[in-house]
């Protein structure tokens, strides 16, 4: 009950029973990401996808963590092609070959479930498919590095090494984050780094890993709407996000897809 404490770095150590709350919330975010998949087709607008997500959040008796967050007004972020993250759903119509990230965060019994994945409208280019594969595998390399005694630098280095070995680049301007009963908590989870650097992982830490990978250069800029982040060179960008908790011997992924649909069928 009261194993909860906070490290020197401000990272909360959760109690064993807290995993159940995160598992339930994470599963709901993942379920909604499963359900929206069949709607992603050429001709649909990103607003229509967000409407569906908002309705599912309501029907499942969840709370959207993003509606009202720092003035954001939507139940998801939808980031198409060269949009890196925080794409605002709107009247944009998806075209054949578009790739997109959909990011959903819900609250269940006070716990936050935060996950995002890539989707494709129609048939993407070979380069786009490669980007999606490398980004997904980079997230999984990062997750494989999560265990008590490892450092956040180990996690970032695993991701960066994988991405750069494939001649792609890791976005530096956005990072993962602690979460739990709050949306964004310490630490900043960088998707690059050096082995052995950074805070030491401990059982009971909850955080996201959500690497953004660009086909071109890593630099981003935020558009005039103050949300939409794009690649400066307009190269394609991809992202996958899981929420995880550190266990005695590794980690638990809270946002596993109930339907096994995390990676898109292309
Ligand atoms: N879900 C995003 C994340 O992974 C945050 C979105 S905040 C919003 O941290 F306001 F843009 F929705
Ligand atoms: Co997140
Ligand atoms: Co997210």
């Amino acid at each position: 009950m009261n194993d909860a404490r906070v490290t020197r770095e401000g990272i909360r150590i959760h109690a064993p029973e807290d995993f159940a709350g995160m598992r339930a919330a994470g599963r709901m975010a993942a379920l909604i990401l499963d359900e929206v998949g069949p709607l992603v087709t050429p001709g649909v607008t990103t607003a229509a996808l967000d409407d569906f997500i908002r309705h599912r959040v309501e029907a499942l008796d969840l709370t959207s963590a993003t509606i009202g967050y720092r003035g954001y007004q939507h139940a998801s972020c939808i980031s198409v092609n060269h949009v890196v993250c925080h794409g605002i759903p709107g009247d944009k119509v998806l075209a054949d070959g578009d790739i997109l990230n959909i990011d959903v965060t819900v609250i269940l019994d006070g716990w936050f479930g935060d996950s995002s994945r890539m989707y494709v409208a129609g048939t993407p280019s070979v380069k786009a498919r490669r980007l999606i594969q490398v980004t997904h595998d980079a997230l999984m390399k990062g997750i494989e590095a999560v265990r008590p005694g490892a450092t956040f630098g180990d996690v970032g280095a695993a991701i960066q090494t994988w991405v750069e070995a494939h001649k792609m680049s890791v976005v530096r301007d956005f990072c993962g984050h602690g979460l739990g009963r709050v949306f964004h908590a310490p630490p900043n989870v960088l998707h690059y780094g050096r082995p052995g650097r950074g805070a030491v992982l401990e059982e009971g830490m909850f955080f996201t890993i959500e690497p953004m990978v660009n086909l071109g250069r890593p630099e981003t800029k935020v558009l005039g709407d103050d949300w939409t982040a794009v690649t400066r060179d307009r190269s394609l960008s991809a992202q996958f996000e899981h929420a995880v908790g550190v266990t005695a011997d590794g980690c638990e992924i809270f946002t596993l897809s109930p339907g096994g649909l995390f990676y898109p069928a292309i």
Side-chain angles (χ1 to χ4, degrees), residues 78-158:
I78 303 185
S79 303
V80 183
N81 293 338
H82 70 294
V83 179
V84 173
C85 63
H86 302 163
I88 301 175
D91 55 14
K92 182 185 174 57
V93 178
L94 295 183
D96 184 45
D98 283 348
I99 65 166
L100 53 148
N101 174 278
I102 304 182
D103 190 336
V104 170
T105 309
V106 297
I107 311 169
L108 173 58
D109 292 337
W111 297 101
F112 284 68
D114 184 7
S115 185
S116 81
R117 358 174 149 144
M118 296 302 293
Y119 299 80
V120 299
T123 311
S125 69
V126 171
K127 274 164 64 172
R129 292 159 69 151
R130 247 187 102 241
L131 172 66
I132 291 170
Q133 180 82 57
V134 168
T135 308
H136 170 272
D137 294 352
L139 168 60
M140 291 305 164
K141 293 285 173 191
I143 290 174
E144 281 170 25
V146 174
R147 57 175 174 76
T151 69
F152 282 98
D154 295 339
V155 175

Side-chain angles (χ1 to χ4, degrees), residues 5 21 26 35 47 49 56 106 112 123 126 136 148 163 184 197 220 222 224 247 256 261:
R5 61 179 187 89
E35 291 179 343
L49 299 176
R56 290 304 292 148
V106 297
F112 284 68
T123 311
V126 171
H136 170 272
V163 169
H184 293 112
R197 302 290 181 93
T220 70
V222 175
T247 61
L256 288 175
L261 303 171

